[in-house]
């Protein structure tokens, strides 16, 4: 044993250092590259507005089921939002032509001033199936010919409802008094109602890029009105000029945001009235 060991070539300490440095130079780049590649998350497509429509049936001229116009939604990867506003005794949940599962968001909101006869409800379907001629319908068991409004909105590439705010602001005491005086004066001189009010939603908080959907549902018994959102929101669907037999007024607006933050929207509506407000924040999964 000792003779064989003595026959092996002996390397100096400096030679060992050279060999070690060469080995590390070859091995480290591979390890570093693997670590960097493993730490990079896959890129996600930010959410965006997809297809959308709004069904409006006026009072006394409705039908059951109430069915929206057909839209072309994505085969997969979208979230769907539906609002149902009208007679409270038409209490069925929405269904759709692609058999998605709908979840109600919060509790029904009852309109002020109508003895509990009208309310509004919100529903979402996350990770929905879709395709051509996609419709939503609501059975109207209580008041089949009654007024109803159903916005139907697709948010593409949205895997979750990150946050939601719902509130029901009305003009304050001072604003109501001023509006009453203005209306009285305009009535005396034969003018139209030019009163207005600012109504602000609750806030939602996002953790990244998001599609914000704001919904305005006015309460007053009037036929022609405006509802204009601020804060960078743009109206995509509205029903603000009603027939003589009335209907459920509504406006839907969206805003794309590209970073985390806290957001709200203020609506300027005229003539002045209260409104049921929702604000939804949809994000990628």
């Amino acid at each position: 044993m000792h003779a064989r060991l003595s026959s092996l070539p002996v390397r100096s300490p400096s030679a060992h250092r050279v060999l070690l440095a060469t080995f590390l130079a070859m091995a480290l780049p591979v390890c570093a590259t693997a670590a960097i590649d493993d730490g990079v998350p896959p890129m996600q497509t930010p959410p965006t507005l997809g297809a959308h429509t709004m069904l409006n049936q006026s009072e006394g001229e409705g039908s059951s089921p109430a069915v929206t116009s057909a839209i072309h939604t994505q085969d997969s990867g979208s979230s769907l939002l539906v609002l149902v506003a009208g007679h409270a005794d038409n209490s069925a949940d929405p269904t759709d032509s692609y058999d998605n599962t709908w979840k109600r968001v919060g509790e029904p909101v009852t309109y002020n001033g109508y003895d509990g006869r009208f309310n509004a409800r919100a529903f979402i379907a996350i990770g929905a199936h879709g395709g051509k001629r996609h419709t939503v319908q609501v059975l109207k068991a209580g008041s089949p010919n009654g007024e109803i409004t159903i916005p139907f909105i697709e948010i593409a590439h949205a895997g979750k409802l990150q946050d939601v705010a719902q509130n029901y602001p009305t003009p304050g005491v001072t604003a109501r008094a001023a509006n009453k005086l203005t209306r009285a004066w305009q009535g005396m001189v034969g003018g139209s109602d030019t009163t207005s009010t600012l109504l602000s939603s609750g806030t939602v908080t996002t953790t990244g890029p998001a599609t914000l959907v704001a919904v305005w549902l006015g309460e007053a018994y009037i036929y022609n009105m405006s509802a204009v959102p601020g804060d960078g929101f743009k109206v995509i669907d509205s029903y603000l000029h009603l027939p003589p037999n009335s209907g459920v007024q509504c406006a839907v607006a969206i805003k794309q945001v590209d970073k985390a933050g806290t957001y709200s929207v203020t609506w300027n509506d005229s003539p002045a009235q209260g409104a049921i407000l929702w604000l939804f924040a949809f994000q990628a999964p």
Side-chain angles (χ1 to χ4, degrees):
M1 294 289 291
H2 293 288
R4 289 184 179 178
L5 285 172
S6 64
S7 65
L8 292 174
V10 178
R11 294 186 176 91
S12 66
S14 61
H16 282 291
R17 287 195 294 271
V18 171
L19 287 172
L20 179 61
T22 302
F23 173 76
L24 291 175
M26 294 175 63
L28 284 177
V30 175
C31 297
T33 301
I36 293 172
D37 289 344
D38 290 344
V40 176
M43 294 295 291
Q44 290 183 324
T45 302
T48 187
L49 175 67
H52 55 92
T53 188
M54 181 189 291
L55 171 70
N56 308 107
Q57 292 184 349
S58 59
E59 184 63 32
E61 296 185 357
S63 60
S64 180
V67 184
T68 68
S69 299
I71 58 178
H72 187 180
T73 56
Q74 300 295 312
D75 292 342
S76 61
S78 291
S79 290
L80 306 176
L81 171 64
V82 163
L83 281 293
V84 181
H87 287 262
D89 58 3
N90 293 328
S91 58
D93 291 353
T95 58
D96 72 294
S97 54
Y98 282 86
D99 296 323
N100 287 292
T101 299
W102 293 90
K103 179 181 179 181
R104 193 177 70 199
V105 182
E107 295 299 317
V109 183
T110 301
Y111 281 86
N112 294 332
Y114 295 90
D115 299 321
R117 293 186 297 117
F118 296 91
N119 69 14
R121 298 170 292 147
F123 298 85
I124 56 171
I126 302 295
H129 303 293
K132 295 180 179 179
R133 301 199 57 78
H134 197 159
T135 61
V136 164
Q137 70 173 34
V138 175
L139 292 173
K140 299 165 68 180
S143 300
N145 64 344
E147 62 191 85
I148 193 170
T149 288
I150 306 176
F152 172 26
I153 306 108
E154 176 194 23
I155 305 90
H157 316 301
K160 61 182 175 180
L161 177 61
Q162 178 66 26
D163 200 3
V164 60
Q166 191 284 310
N167 64 331
Y168 193 166
T170 59
V173 175
T174 302
R176 287 199 300 270
N179 289 335
K180 186 175 181 180
L181 290 173
T182 300
R183 290 186 179 113
W185 169 253
Q186 291 171 340
M188 290 175 58
V189 300
S192 58
D193 188 343
T194 61
T195 60
S196 65
T197 190
L198 297 175
L199 303 177
S200 294
S201 73
T203 61
V204 294
T205 299
T206 68
T207 58
T211 298
L212 309 181
V213 183
V215 181
W216 176 98
L217 292 161
E219 66 175 16
Y221 195 75
I222 54 180
Y223 299 100
N224 292 287
M225 67 216 76
S226 63
V228 181
D231 307 289
F233 283 79
K234 302 297 182 184
V235 173
I236 58 169
D237 287 304
S238 64
Y239 184 55
L240 301 174
H241 302 287
L242 312 184
N245 52 319
S246 189
V248 183
Q249 55 260 48
C250 178
V252 178
I254 70 153
K255 179 180 179 179
Q256 296 290 148
V257 298
D258 59 4
K259 60 183 179 181
T262 298
Y263 304 93
S264 65
V265 57
T266 296
W267 294 84
N268 185 343
D269 54 30
S270 179
Q273 61 178 302
I276 298 171
L277 303 183
W278 261 284
L279 182 59
F280 305 87
F282 289 92
Q283 291 188 205

